[in-house]
Amino acid sequence: MTLAAQSGIVLQICATELQGGTGMALRFIGIDPNTGDDECPTVWYDDEADEIVVQGWKADDELRAKCLETGSIPDGEDVVRLPARMAAILRKACDAAEGAHVR
């Protein structure tokens, strides 16, 4: 996972193919507290796959180019943007992931 700041958090995530009906246990963690009607960055934790799942704004070409300066973006992966105000929600998702290993 790669993090870089630029008027928010840029998160490069490995995209695992998520298919419905596979018994995936998504646990809602949080949504952007400043969500409007049409923009709603969201974070979940998938208990079965042991993954943090992120919905964010698509990176524009300029941001993708900056990310590519530090490495590649393989097929099956992408760059999404989350506002920095979601840092506490990301921490909560990380806590959920770490807690899953304490059982």
Side-chain angles (χ1 to χ4, degrees), residues 8 29 34 46 55:
I29 301 296
N34 291 358
D46 181 340
Q55 172 187 325

Side-chain angles (χ1 to χ4, degrees), residues 33-44:
N34 291 358
T35 289
D37 291 336
D38 60 349
E39 295 182 352
C40 51
T42 306
V43 177
W44 300 267

Side-chain angles (χ1 to χ4, degrees), residues 18-52:
L18 303 176
Q19 298 177 358
T22 61
M24 184 171 57
L26 275 182
R27 184 182 340 163
F28 173 80
I29 301 296
I31 193 167
D32 178 1
N34 291 358
T35 289
D37 291 336
D38 60 349
E39 295 182 352
C40 51
T42 306
V43 177
W44 300 267
Y45 176 68
D46 181 340
D47 293 297
E48 249 180 54
D50 193 26
E51 295 175 334
I52 296 169

Side-chain angles (χ1 to χ4, degrees), residues 23-98:
M24 184 171 57
L26 275 182
R27 184 182 340 163
F28 173 80
I29 301 296
I31 193 167
D32 178 1
N34 291 358
T35 289
D37 291 336
D38 60 349
E39 295 182 352
C40 51
T42 306
V43 177
W44 300 267
Y45 176 68
D46 181 340
D47 293 297
E48 249 180 54
D50 193 26
E51 295 175 334
I52 296 169
V53 180
V54 178
Q55 172 187 325
W57 300 305
K58 289 182 181 180
D60 61 18
D61 291 340
E62 181 181 347
L63 179 55
R64 288 178 61 79
K66 287 180 183 179
C67 291
L68 286 169
E69 291 174 7
T70 64
S72 67
I73 303 172
D75 288 341
E77 296 186 14
D78 213 336
V79 176
V80 297
R81 295 172 42 244
L82 299 175
R85 63 182 167 261
M86 291 184 69
I89 294 169
L90 289 169
R91 277 190 218 96
K92 188 174 176 181
C94 292
D95 290 345
E98 288 177 348

